[in-house]
C-alpha cells in the first residue's frame, strides 16, 4: 500500500523556458507534466507569439502549457491567451491579485523568496494569502532578472506556508538540478518542482541528458518519500 500511496503522491514536474521544438518533444517524452513559455522580452528564453503557438501545437493532451509573464500589460496577456491558448498563466513579476484574476484563467503566482518583503516565513505566507484563488503558489529565488537565475533560496522561508491550513499547492523552483533536487524535495515536499537553468546547456537550449537525469531524480525521490 505504501508504494502505491507514494506513487499517488508523485511530484509533478514543470520544465520552463522552452524555445525549440526538439526541446518540447524531449520534455514531453521525458514525462514533464508542464512546459513553460516565457513572454518576457529581457529573458534569453523569451518566445514570440508565432513561435509559441507553434511550440504549443507539439504539446499533447495531459501536458500543461504554462505562459509566463513579468509585469506584462493586459493586452499582452490577452494576445497570448488568444493566440497560444495556454492551460495556465504564471505571473512572475509584481502583479496584483486583481490583475491576476482579471483574465478568468487558472494562474500560478510566483513569489521571489528572500527578496524585499519576503525575507521571513511569516512575510512569505502573508504575501501568498493575497492570492487565495491561485491554482498554485510558485516559490523562486530572488534575482534582479525576476527569474530563471539558477539561484536557490533557503527552504526554511517556506516553513509557515507549508504549515498553513489554507496553503495552495506549492511549486518549488530556483536553482534545482538533478543532483540537488532530492534534498530539496525532502526539505519542502512540494506538489511540484519547476526547473529551467538546471536542465540547460545554455539559456533556452535544453539538454536531453539533463532533462532525463532531472526527471529520474525527482521520480526516485518521490517514490521514497
Ligand atoms: O526563465 C526565465 O528566463 C525567466 C525570466 C524572468 C522571469 C521568470 C523566468 N523563469 C521563470 C521560471 O519559472 C523558472 O523556471 C524559474 O525561475 C526557475 O529557474 P531556474 O532557477 O533557472 O531553474
Amino acid at each position: 500500500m505504501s508504494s502505491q500511496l507514494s506513487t499517488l503522491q508523485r511530484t509533478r514536474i514543470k520544465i520552463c523556458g522552452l524555445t525549440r521544438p526538439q526541446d518540447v518533444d524531449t520534455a514531453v517524452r521525458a514525462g514533464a507534466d508542464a512546459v513553460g513559455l516565457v513572454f518576457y522580452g529581457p529573458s534569453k528564453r523569451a518566445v514570440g507569439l508565432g513561435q509559441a503557438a507553434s511550440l504549443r501545437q507539439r504539446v499533447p493532451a495531459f501536458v500543461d502549457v504554462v505562459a509566463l509573464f513579468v509585469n506584462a500589460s493586459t493586452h499582452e496577456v490577452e494576445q497570448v491567451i488568444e493566440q497560444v491558448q495556454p492551460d495556465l498563466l504564471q505571473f512572475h513579476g509584481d502583479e496584483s491579485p486583481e490583475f491576476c484574476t482579471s483574465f478568468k484563467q487558472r494562474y500560478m503566482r510566483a513569489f521571489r523568496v528572500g527578496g524585499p518583503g519576503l525575507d521571513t516565513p511569516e512575510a512569505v505566507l502573508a504575501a501568498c494569502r493575497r492570492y487565495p484563488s491561485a491554482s498554485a503558489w510558485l516559490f523562486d529565488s530572488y534575482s534582479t532578472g525576476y527569474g530563471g537565475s539558477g539561484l536557490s533560496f533557503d527552504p526554511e522561508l517556506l516553513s509557515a506556508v507549508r504549515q498553513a491550513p489554507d496553503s495552495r499547492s506549492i511549486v518549488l523552483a530556483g536553482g534545482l538540478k538533478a543532483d540537488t533536487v532530492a534534498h530539496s524535495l525532502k526539505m519542502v515536499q512540494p506538489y511540484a518542482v519547476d526547473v529551467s537553468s538546471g536542465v540547460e546547456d545554455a539559456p533556452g537550449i535544453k539538454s536531453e541528458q539533463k532533462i532525463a537525469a532531472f526527471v529520474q531524480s525527482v521520480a526516485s525521490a518521490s517514490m521514497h518519500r
Side-chain angles (χ1 to χ4, degrees):
M1 180 63 179
S2 61
S3 61
Q4 286 172 344
L5 189 60
S6 61
T7 305
L8 290 175
Q9 292 171 349
R10 177 177 69 83
T11 304
R12 271 69 173 181
I13 299 172
K14 172 185 169 240
I15 296 178
C16 195
L18 297 170
T19 62
R20 305 186 305 175
Q22 61 264 46
D23 294 343
V24 171
D25 298 345
T26 296
V28 169
R29 214 171 29 241
D33 299 281
V35 293
L37 302 177
V38 176
F39 298 94
Y40 176 53
S43 168
K44 293 177 181 175
R45 304 177 181 101
V47 290
L49 284 171
Q51 179 185 9
S54 176
L55 293 172
R56 198 263 179 287
Q57 290 306 313
R58 306 182 77 90
V59 182
F62 312 128
V63 179
D64 277 350
V65 172
V66 181
L68 188 151
F69 304 95
V70 175
N71 300 330
S73 68
T74 296
H75 177 64
E76 286 167 327
V77 176
E78 288 173 341
Q79 278 194 303
V80 171
I81 291 170
E82 180 186 343
Q83 297 186 41
V84 182
Q85 298 181 326
D87 301 289
L88 189 65
L89 307 180
Q90 178 177 326
F91 295 112
H92 215 103
D94 310 298
E95 297 84 356
S96 68
E98 296 73 21
F99 184 85
C100 295
T101 56
S102 66
F103 303 97
K104 309 288 188 248
Q105 299 263 326
R106 293 195 311 150
Y107 74 91
M108 270 197 298
R109 185 59 168 94
F111 301 91
R112 297 153 57 222
V113 176
L118 292 177
D119 52 1
T120 68
E122 294 71 24
V124 172
L125 178 56
C128 291
R129 282 176 163 162
R130 295 181 59 224
Y131 302 84
S133 64
S135 296
W137 292 336
L138 184 149
F139 299 97
D140 195 359
S141 57
Y142 176 79
S143 68
T144 53
Y146 280 94
S149 68
L151 300 175
S152 58
F153 65 89
D154 178 1
E156 182 56 30
L157 286 169
L158 302 185
S159 55
V161 170
R162 292 185 63 229
Q163 293 161 20
D166 58 325
S167 177
R168 306 297 290 158
S169 298
I170 292 173
V171 180
L172 181 63
L176 299 178
K177 295 180 287 190
D179 59 356
T180 62
V181 69
H183 176 69
S184 301
L185 287 171
K186 187 174 180 179
M187 296 289 287
V188 179
Q189 296 187 343
Y191 169 78
V193 290
D194 169 43
V195 64
S196 193
S197 307
V199 293
E200 287 180 334
D201 288 330
I205 308 300
K206 300 312 185 189
S207 156
E208 185 168 358
Q209 180 275 327
K210 291 178 181 177
I211 287 175
F214 184 83
V215 172
Q216 181 56 53
S217 295
V218 173
S220 301
S222 297
M223 289 300 287
H224 297 104
R225 73 185 211 185

